[in-house]
Amino acid sequence: MTVLTSLQVSAVLSYLIAIAVPALDAVFPVLPSETAIIALGVATAGSTDPRVALLVACCAVGAFLGDNLSYLLGRRFGPWAERRFFPGGKGARRRAWAEQSLERFGMQLIVVCRFFPGGRTAVTLCCGLVGYPRRRFVFATALAGSIWAVYSFFLGRLGGKAFEDRPWAGFAVAFGVTIAVSGLVEVMRRIMRSREQSGRRHAGQVESDDPGQDQADRDHLHGGHPVAEEDHAGYGRPGGPDPGPDRVRGSDLELAQRDSQQGEAQQRACGEADCRP
C-alpha cells in the first residue's frame, strides 16, 4: 500500500519511473517496465488530475528512448551487442528469427514485438545490426511506445477503479491480463513460425520420379517406332537391310509388285510387236 500511495500524479518519483524504467528495460530486460506502468495506473486510478496525460506521455517517451537506445547499441557496437544479447545457439536462433520477421513484416513487427516476451530487445537490436532505415524505425517506435503506454497505464487504472478498496488486487488483475495478452501473442507467433517452416520444407521437397513411369517411357521410345528400328538395325553391317523401297510392307508392297508385273508384261508385248514411239 505504501508503494502505490507514493506513486501519485503529483510525485516527481512517478515521472522518473515513467521515463527511466521503460528506457532501461530495452537493454536490461530484467527491469519490470510493464509492472511499473501498471502500478502507476493503479496508483492514479481515482485521480482526475490532467497531469495524468503527462504521466502517460512520459511512459511513451521512456519506451521510445529505450527502443532507440537499443537500436544505437546494435548500430554502433554490433559485435559486442551480438555477443552480449545473442549468445550461443539460442541467441543465434533469436537473431535469425528477428531478421527473417523484420524482412517480412517491417514496421508492423517493430510495433507488435513490444507485446511478447523478449521480442522488443531482439527486434530493436537486430534493426541496428542490419542497418534498418532510421526514419522508419523512429516512426515505428514512436507509434509502438504510444500504444504500449496507453494500453498498460489505462489497464492499471481500470484495475484500480474496479478494486478501489484493494488496489493490490486491482494491480494483480491488470498484470494478469497483460501476461495473458503477451502469452496469446507469443502463441500466435509460434503458430505462424511453425507454419512458415512447414511451408518451406514442403516447397523444398522435390518429388521423386516414378521408376515405373521411367521404364514405361523408355519402352515407348524403344517400341513406338518398329519400322524405324528395323530400317536402322542393319546399318554398318554387311548384308544389312536396305532402307529403300524393298522395305515397304503390306498393301503398298502388293501394289508395287502388281505395277512391276504390268510393266514387264507391257515390255514383253512391245518387244514381240516391235513397238516404237
Side-chain angles (χ1 to χ4, degrees), residues 88-169:
K90 186 177 180 180
R93 288 191 296 271
R94 287 180 61 205
R95 178 179 174 178
W97 167 82
E99 288 185 5
Q100 295 171 2
S101 302
L102 186 64
E103 183 179 355
R104 180 177 179 182
F105 299 105
M107 294 174 61
Q108 299 177 16
L109 177 69
I110 298 174
V111 175
V112 176
C113 73
R114 295 198 61 91
F115 296 92
F116 56 82
R120 177 194 183 190
T121 302
V123 172
T124 53
L125 271 172
C126 188
C127 286
L129 289 171
V130 302
Y132 190 80
R134 184 62 183 271
R135 290 184 178 180
R136 299 179 65 183
F137 182 82
V138 167
F139 177 79
T141 51
L143 180 62
S146 300
I147 294 174
W148 174 80
V150 172
Y151 159 77
S152 301
F153 189 87
F154 282 97
L155 188 61
R157 282 180 67 90
L158 288 175
K161 292 284 285 185
F163 299 90
E164 293 183 3
D165 298 332
R166 294 177 295 168
W168 283 109

Side-chain angles (χ1 to χ4, degrees), residues 1-273:
M1 182 70 68
T2 305
V3 176
L4 292 177
T5 54
S6 64
L7 298 178
Q8 297 301 315
V9 71
S10 59
V12 177
L13 178 63
S14 300
Y15 298 93
L16 292 177
I17 291 176
I19 295 176
V21 175
L24 296 176
D25 180 42
V27 292
F28 300 104
V30 294
L31 292 177
S33 60
E34 275 190 351
T35 304
I37 306 308
I38 291 173
L40 289 172
V42 172
T44 60
S47 176
T48 58
D49 193 314
R51 287 178 293 181
V52 168
L54 178 60
L55 194 57
V56 176
C58 289
C59 297
V61 169
F64 174 80
L65 292 176
D67 291 342
N68 284 267
L69 175 61
S70 180
Y71 179 93
L72 182 63
L73 289 175
R75 187 71 171 173
R76 300 293 184 184
F77 308 99
W80 173 83
E82 188 170 2
R83 291 192 302 269
R84 171 65 176 81
F85 295 97
F86 301 109
K90 186 177 180 180
R93 288 191 296 271
R94 287 180 61 205
R95 178 179 174 178
W97 167 82
E99 288 185 5
Q100 295 171 2
S101 302
L102 186 64
E103 183 179 355
R104 180 177 179 182
F105 299 105
M107 294 174 61
Q108 299 177 16
L109 177 69
I110 298 174
V111 175
V112 176
C113 73
R114 295 198 61 91
F115 296 92
F116 56 82
R120 177 194 183 190
T121 302
V123 172
T124 53
L125 271 172
C126 188
C127 286
L129 289 171
V130 302
Y132 190 80
R134 184 62 183 271
R135 290 184 178 180
R136 299 179 65 183
F137 182 82
V138 167
F139 177 79
T141 51
L143 180 62
S146 300
I147 294 174
W148 174 80
V150 172
Y151 159 77
S152 301
F153 189 87
F154 282 97
L155 188 61
R157 282 180 67 90
L158 288 175
K161 292 284 285 185
F163 299 90
E164 293 183 3
D165 298 332
R166 294 177 295 168
W168 283 109
F171 171 81
V173 170
F175 183 74
V177 171
T178 61
I179 294 297
V181 171
S182 299
L184 179 61
V185 173
E186 177 68 12
V187 169
M188 293 176 63
R189 182 185 72 85
R190 289 180 179 271
I191 292 174
M192 293 177 61
R193 183 180 180 183
S194 63
R195 287 181 177 179
E196 291 176 1
Q197 292 176 347
S198 177
R200 287 196 296 268
R201 287 195 299 267
H202 181 72
Q205 288 177 351
V206 179
E207 295 183 0
S208 60
D209 294 334
D210 183 1
Q213 182 64 35
D214 289 345
Q215 185 62 40
D217 293 341
R218 287 193 292 270
D219 293 342
H220 177 72
L221 291 175
H222 289 304
H225 305 283
V227 174
E229 290 179 357
E230 292 177 5
D231 290 343
H232 293 78
Y235 281 177
R237 298 198 308 267
D242 183 6
D246 293 343
R247 299 293 296 161
V248 180
R249 294 288 186 267
S251 59
D252 292 338
L253 178 60
E254 294 177 358
L255 290 175
Q257 290 176 348
R258 189 182 301 118
D259 292 340
S260 178
Q261 292 174 358
Q262 289 177 357
E264 292 176 358
Q266 290 177 359
Q267 289 178 1
R268 286 196 299 271
C270 288
E272 292 174 358

